[in-house]
Amino acid sequence: MRRGRTLPWLAALLLGLMGLLVCGSDFQHHCYEDMVRALFAVQSECPYITRIYSIGRSVEGRHLYVLEFSDNPGIHEALEPEFKYVGNMHGNEVLGRELLIKLSQFMCEEYRAGNQRITRLIHDTRIHILPSMNPDGYETAAKQGPEFNGYLVGRGNAKEMDLNRNFPDLNALMYYYEKTNGRNHHLPLPDNWEQQVEPETMAVIKWMQNYNFILSANLHGGAVVANYPFDKSRDARIRGRTTYAATPDEKIFRKLARTYSYAHSWMHKGWNCGDFFDEGITNGASWYSLSKGMQDFNYLYTNCFEITLELSCDKFPSASALPREWLGNREALVSYLEQVHHGIKGMVYDENNNPIGNAEVSVAGVNHDVTSGVDGDYFRLLLPGTYTVTASAPGYVSSTSTVTVGPAEAIQFHFYLKTAPKLNLKVKPHNGKKNLSSPKSPLKLGPR
């Protein structure tokens, strides 16, 4: 904890020591130990719908703790989408950290109170909350406190590396593939990527590899706007000029950003922090080009659609400002989470009803595919409309169907793929001999 009145601090401490949930009107800044205590207090208060796990450690050895909400914690249930919130990637941008701690407390409290909206979300979604991706940077920033915090002090990790410039640069590969009709999703990592990233970045990448996340948001500070991919421009940077870089899923990303902005108390008004963003949203590259960011990496490496939420003009607001910020963001945090339940979802089966993992699901007119998870379930975020959707997998005949998406919950549609017939590579003899020069001779099939 940093600054605040003595009595609320003592009350919160006593509640924490008793293993009870710190809730109600208590707002404070949480140092690492306080944050950990707060997360475990939530887990203690709601043990049947929560789980705490660590995805790794920071440079200075602090655990990167995640709090999971689910009706079956620790288990992926087929057709139940995975969602994540990540806060405090820049150590001195602290509002996201505090909002995610408060969101965790709020969800536990509301579930216990029988709130149907929150109960349904927890029963139908597997929610992962990482309040601090950069606990080391936070401790550096917090030593100065809200009043004296410098713009860059604590931004990076303990090695002063900016974690949002530390992911493998898959944009450059994607932009090259666009010119050659190459792969448009799940791009490969460089061979030596593990030597190029920080421990916190590596932990998050491995986290993405272990969970089939569908939707995500990364909480920052220093502006008030919902920022969507791509962050990196396709064109060389020209002084004084910004270049819009749209993804193939431009329309859905704009809708996701607007969902947060309009549910936020003032983001959608546009004028914030001396800047103006129409509807409170912006394309990242149109604002300024950024390389090796986490938002673009999610989209190009996984099934996950992520936006970056800039939530406060002040990177380290005082504790007295936290209640207003919570009320301004509470509905937006819940509304955005609900967006994971839109579009199409279903199973990809073979002809014997066995699930097929890693099958590709493509949508005509949208040059970006998603893949089914290890349990054979797939999730494709889409706006309302009618789409031609194809499922394919090596060794199977592709299946194509027309699916109509409504404005409410995701349409459930299953694919059944038949095993592809085996090619007969035998060559009929001609005059008792194999004619290897015949045009009908088998060709070697190489990678595309």
Side-chain angles (χ1 to χ4, degrees), residues 243-391:
T243 306
Y244 200 110
T247 69
D249 286 284
E250 165 76 2
K251 292 181 180 180
I252 188 67
F253 270 120
R254 287 180 60 86
K255 192 252 187 179
L256 290 169
R258 282 197 298 265
T259 295
Y260 197 95
S261 177
Y262 278 94
H264 188 281
S265 294
W266 57 87
M267 183 183 288
H268 61 277
K269 296 178 180 179
W271 285 107
N272 294 293
C273 317
D275 291 323
F276 177 76
F277 297 99
D278 188 28
E279 297 188 286
I281 68 174
T282 186
N283 172 258
S286 180
W287 187 11
Y288 63 90
S289 184
L290 181 161
S291 294
K292 300 183 179 182
M294 183 166 71
Q295 170 177 273
D296 290 3
F297 181 84
N298 270 271
Y299 183 68
L300 295 175
Y301 184 61
T302 76
N303 288 322
C304 190
F305 287 38
E306 179 173 281
I307 67 172
T308 301
L309 299 170
E310 302 281 352
L311 297 179
S312 60
C313 302
D314 189 348
K315 287 174 175 281
F316 206 128
S318 65
S320 63
L322 296 180
R324 175 179 182 266
E325 294 289 356
W326 165 244
L327 291 178
N329 283 276
R330 182 180 62 190
E331 174 59 28
L333 288 165
V334 176
S335 294
Y336 183 79
L337 204 166
E338 290 172 328
Q339 299 307 301
V340 77
H341 292 287
H342 291 278
I344 307 171
K345 69 176 182 179
M347 301 291 298
V348 182
Y349 293 112
D350 66 15
E351 51 201 330
N352 297 314
N353 290 326
N354 297 311
I356 302 174
N358 206 35
E360 295 186 358
V361 177
S362 60
V363 178
V366 184
N367 190 30
H368 185 82
D369 301 344
V370 299
T371 59
S372 60
V374 293
D375 295 318
D377 51 348
Y378 75 93
F379 305 83
R380 196 16 165 132
L381 299 179
L382 290 168
L383 296 178
T386 300
Y387 300 91
T388 301
V389 186
T390 300

Side-chain angles (χ1 to χ4, degrees), residues 74-86:
I75 299 171
H76 173 74
E77 298 175 75
L79 300 175
E80 185 172 287
E82 309 264 356
F83 176 96
K84 63 181 166 71
Y85 270 132
V86 178

